[in-house]
């Protein structure tokens, strides 16, 4: 039977907290798998770029309260590697002066602090930089807002010190999943304009409000960045055959591992759970093994050791010097039998 996470993936309007955690736990392993199988050389750097985008840059930009030109280049490198590659954007980004990047980003972040409800103002300010449109501007503001990094491995919610988590990055998979179109689905064409970003913002806000109202005892809130990662997993699963097969195997492997962890007695053999009957069978088997071993030892001895004379098998071997003939006053002389198994019986001398 197909796993429902594969067979019937949920839309953004339907996804539940347990489903969110399941797909979120697949994100980092999938990034590592893509980096190993990727045809593009740049994709091999995906894990390190992911760490930069979700962990290093947010913390750094929060400390600085602005972007530097190297920060801007690194953010663009992540975007082009993680999504569609547009090499000309690298040259446009590099053409910005360091002082202009710092000035524009500082003003934009101050606007966001002043009134985060008017999200288009700081985004359009960031779009004054060369090579920065709505999608890249949302990435930059999201990096600033997501101080502390995104959640991984199915851990939903980053706590109160991880930023508001309100700014969604306008990635292809994220937009298509949140603003789902039944006719075009994952092949939906995008314009990357402010109108589409407004649709994404409203959609993500609605999903977050619904999930955060049903999160129960979760620490923190469901962040836009977590929904972004889930959308990436779902998008790749739907459009790349080998990713779908890999996720199917991964879920099956995790399911078997989970069953084994919850039933540690399984796989220990038929004797588990059978009671005294199993114990008796084991004792009989052990006894049979001992008999078999004794037989093997006996068969390996020479014939004169394998068949000792009757009555002497349990007698302690006598020293060799005590094998002389003795006489008794009332009985005829009787030989004392040699019972030392290490010495073979002497052959009788023929009379000449």
């Amino acid at each position: 039977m197909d796993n429902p996470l594969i067979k019937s993936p949920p839309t953004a309007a339907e996804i539940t907290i347990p489903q969110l955690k399941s797909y979120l736990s697949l994100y980092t392993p999938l990034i590592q798998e893509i980096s190993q199988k990727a045809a593009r050389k740049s994709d091999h750097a995906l894990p390190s770029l992911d760490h930069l985008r979700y962990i290093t840059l947010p913390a750094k930009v929060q400390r600085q309260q602005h972007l530097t030109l190297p920060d801007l280049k690194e953010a663009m490198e992540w975007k082009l590697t993680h999504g569609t590659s547009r090499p000309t954007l690298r040259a446009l980004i590099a053409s910005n002066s360091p002082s202009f990047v710092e000035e524009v980003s500082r003003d934009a972040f101050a606007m966001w602090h002043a009134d985060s409800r008017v999200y288009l103002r700081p985004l359009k300010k960031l779009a004054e930089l060369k090579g920065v449109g709505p999608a890249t501007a949302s990435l930059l503001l999201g990096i600033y807002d997501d101080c502390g990094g995104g959640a991984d491995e199915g851990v939903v919610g980053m706590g109160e010190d991880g930023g508001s988590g309100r700014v969604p990055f306008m990635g292809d998979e994220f937009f298509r999943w949140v603003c789902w179109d039944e006719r075009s689905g994952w092949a939906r064409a995008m314009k990357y304009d402010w109108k589409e970003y407004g649709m994404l913002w409203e959609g993500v806000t609605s999903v977050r409000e619904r999930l955060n109202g049903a999160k129960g005892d979760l620490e923190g809130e469901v962040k836009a960045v977590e929904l972004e990662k889930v959308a990436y997993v779902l998008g790749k699963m739907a459009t790349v055959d080998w990713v779908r097969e890999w996720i199917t195997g991964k879920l099956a492997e995790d399911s078997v591992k989970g069953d084994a962890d919850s039933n540690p007695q399984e796989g220990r053999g038929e004797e588990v759970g059978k009671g005294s009957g199993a114990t008796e069978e084991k004792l009989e088997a052990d006894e049979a093994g001992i008999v078999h071993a004794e037989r093997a030892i006996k068969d390996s001895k020479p014939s004169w050791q394998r068949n000792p004379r009757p009555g002497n098998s349990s007698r302690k071997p006598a020293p060799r010097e005590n094998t002389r003939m003795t006489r008794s006053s009332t009985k005829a002389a009787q030989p004392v039998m040699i019972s030392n198994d290490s010495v073979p019986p002497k052959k009788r001398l023929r009379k000449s």
Side-chain angles (χ1 to χ4, degrees):
M1 180 181 294
D2 291 338
N3 190 306
L5 294 174
I6 302 291
K7 188 176 181 181
S8 304
T11 64
E14 301 167 339
I15 195 166
T16 63
I17 289 291
Q19 290 172 330
L20 179 68
K21 293 174 67 177
S22 295
Y23 290 117
L24 189 58
S25 69
L26 293 168
Y27 176 80
T28 298
L30 177 58
I31 288 294
Q32 294 170 344
E33 195 73 12
I34 290 175
S35 71
Q36 294 173 5
K37 294 185 176 181
R40 295 188 303 178
K41 290 183 178 180
S42 59
D43 288 347
H44 298 309
L46 263 176
S48 58
L49 286 173
D50 248 37
H51 188 272
L52 185 74
R53 182 260 186 264
Y54 292 113
I55 306 296
T56 308
L57 275 179
K60 181 184 178 186
V61 173
Q62 273 286 340
R63 289 194 304 269
Q64 298 170 165
Q65 291 296 304
H66 65 81
L67 289 165
T68 64
L69 181 57
D71 295 336
L72 181 59
K73 289 180 178 179
E74 289 174 337
M76 178 57 73
E77 192 63 32
W78 175 87
K79 180 177 178 288
L80 298 180
T81 304
H82 197 266
T84 304
S85 179
R86 295 181 176 88
T88 54
L89 288 178
R90 290 189 179 92
L92 287 173
I93 289 294
S95 67
N96 289 288
S97 69
S99 60
F100 187 58
V101 171
E102 181 176 337
E103 177 188 345
V104 168
S105 60
R106 191 185 297 276
D107 290 346
F109 297 157
M111 291 176 185
W112 175 247
H113 266 303
D115 190 354
S116 61
R117 293 172 299 178
V118 189
Y119 60 89
L120 282 179
R121 284 187 64 203
L123 288 172
K124 289 184 176 181
K125 184 66 180 177
L126 288 167
E128 293 179 6
L129 296 168
K130 295 177 184 177
V132 175
T136 304
S138 68
L139 171 62
L140 300 176
L141 187 58
I143 286 174
Y144 175 73
D145 184 59
D146 285 332
C147 179
D152 272 336
E153 304 304 328
V155 181
V156 178
M158 296 185 294
E160 297 180 356
D161 59 347
S164 71
R166 294 178 57 202
V167 183
F169 161 59
M170 196 180 185
D172 294 357
E173 293 86 5
F174 201 10
F175 175 81
R176 288 165 180 155
W177 182 56
V178 172
C179 305
W180 186 254
D181 181 77
E182 289 292 342
R183 291 176 298 176
S184 53
W186 293 104
R188 179 176 181 173
M190 294 175 60
K191 298 178 181 179
Y192 302 100
D193 57 16
W194 295 114
K195 180 180 178 180
E196 283 190 341
Y197 186 75
M199 294 168 57
L200 176 64
W201 181 282
E202 296 301 324
V204 170
T205 300
S206 176
V207 174
R208 290 184 62 240
E209 288 176 350
R210 177 178 63 82
L211 291 176
N212 288 329
K215 65 186 176 59
D217 59 352
L218 285 174
E219 295 182 1
E221 294 185 337
V222 175
K223 307 287 184 178
V225 71
E226 295 161 350
L227 296 173
E228 171 198 327
K229 291 181 177 182
V230 169
Y232 183 84
V233 171
L234 291 172
K236 294 301 181 185
M237 184 177 74
T239 59
V240 183
D241 290 340
W242 76 259
V243 171
R244 182 182 179 88
E245 294 174 1
W246 177 84
I247 290 178
T248 301
K250 180 72 174 170
L251 290 173
E253 176 185 329
D254 292 345
S255 176
V256 171
K257 183 179 179 181
D259 291 343
D261 291 342
S262 60
N263 298 290
Q265 294 296 327
E266 283 189 10
R268 288 180 57 187
E270 297 181 358
E271 68 183 72
V272 176
K274 280 191 175 181
S276 60
T279 303
E280 291 174 2
E281 289 179 7
K282 190 174 186 304
L283 289 174
E284 290 176 2
D286 291 345
E287 184 178 351
I290 292 172
V291 171
H292 179 75
E294 289 177 344
R295 255 183 217 163
I297 293 172
K298 181 178 177 182
D299 291 343
S300 66
K301 294 179 180 180
S303 59
W304 57 270
Q305 284 186 327
R306 291 201 303 268
N307 300 296
R309 297 182 183 180
N312 293 330
S313 60
S314 62
R315 187 180 300 175
K316 184 178 180 180
R320 187 175 182 87
E321 59 267 24
N322 291 336
T323 60
R324 297 177 181 176
M325 299 290 290
T326 61
R327 292 181 179 273
S328 172
S329 57
T330 57
K331 294 184 179 180
Q334 297 292 334
V336 177
M337 187 178 299
I338 298 173
S339 59
N340 191 336
D341 289 343
S342 64
V343 181
K346 293 182 178 179
K347 294 183 180 181
R348 294 182 179 178
L349 297 175
R350 290 186 180 181
K351 292 182 180 181
S352 56

